[in-house]
């Protein structure tokens, strides 16, 4: 899954989500996942679809642009704005990034 897009997607998300988890943080993970689900619920359908294509299905920017009949620039801008909103959402929830 991802066709080589895993590293790119993880790098884009690195500013929002830590890649390491200690034993103490394991219990918090469920809370963060619930917060992420709440965040996804705040996105417009098109934004949510683009976000999930990139960070769940690990589709390339080019594939997403083709799927949604838009430019790669629009996809990148949508993802940038979603990541910014995700970061704000997590910080408002008390998660230190």
């Amino acid at each position: 899954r991802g066709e080589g897009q895993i590293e790119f997607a993880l790098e884009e998300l690195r500013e929002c989500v830590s890649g390491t988890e200690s034993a103490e943080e394991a219990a918090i993970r469920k809370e963060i996942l619930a917060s992420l689900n709440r965040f996804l619920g705040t996105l417009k359908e098109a934004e949510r679809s683009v976000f999930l294509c990139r960070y769940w299905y690990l589709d390339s920017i080019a594939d997403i642009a083709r799927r949604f009949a838009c430019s790669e620039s629009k996809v990148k801008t949508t993802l940038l704005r979603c990541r910014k909103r995700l970061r704000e959402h997590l910080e408002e929830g008390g998660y230190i990034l």
Side-chain angles (χ1 to χ4, degrees):
R1 176 164 111 169
E3 298 179 3
Q5 293 298 309
I6 293 171
E7 289 301 318
F8 295 119
L10 291 177
E11 181 62 33
E12 291 171 3
L13 281 173
R14 188 162 284 128
E15 65 196 39
C16 301
V17 181
S18 172
T20 61
E21 177 179 79
S22 70
E24 299 85 36
E25 294 170 324
I28 296 172
R29 184 168 35 95
K30 283 186 179 182
E31 292 177 31
I32 293 173
L33 290 173
S35 182
L36 179 57
N37 282 328
R38 285 190 301 274
F39 166 75
L40 290 172
T42 69
L43 297 177
K44 295 176 186 172
E45 185 176 341
E47 293 172 324
R48 184 173 45 251
S49 295
V50 167
F51 189 89
L52 291 174
C53 281
R54 181 64 174 161
Y55 300 118
W56 180 256
Y57 296 107
L58 303 173
D59 293 341
S60 71
I61 300 294
D63 286 344
I64 296 168
R66 277 192 296 276
R67 178 176 294 145
F68 292 97
C70 63
S71 69
E72 289 185 27
S73 178
K74 180 175 172 84
V75 171
K76 290 176 184 179
T77 299
T78 298
L79 291 170
L80 177 68
R81 290 178 179 158
C82 286
R83 289 192 311 270
K84 180 180 182 228
R85 288 173 54 197
L86 173 59
R87 182 179 185 87
E88 291 168 355
H89 174 82
L90 291 172
E91 287 174 346
E92 287 171 4
Y95 299 104
I96 299 171
L97 308 174

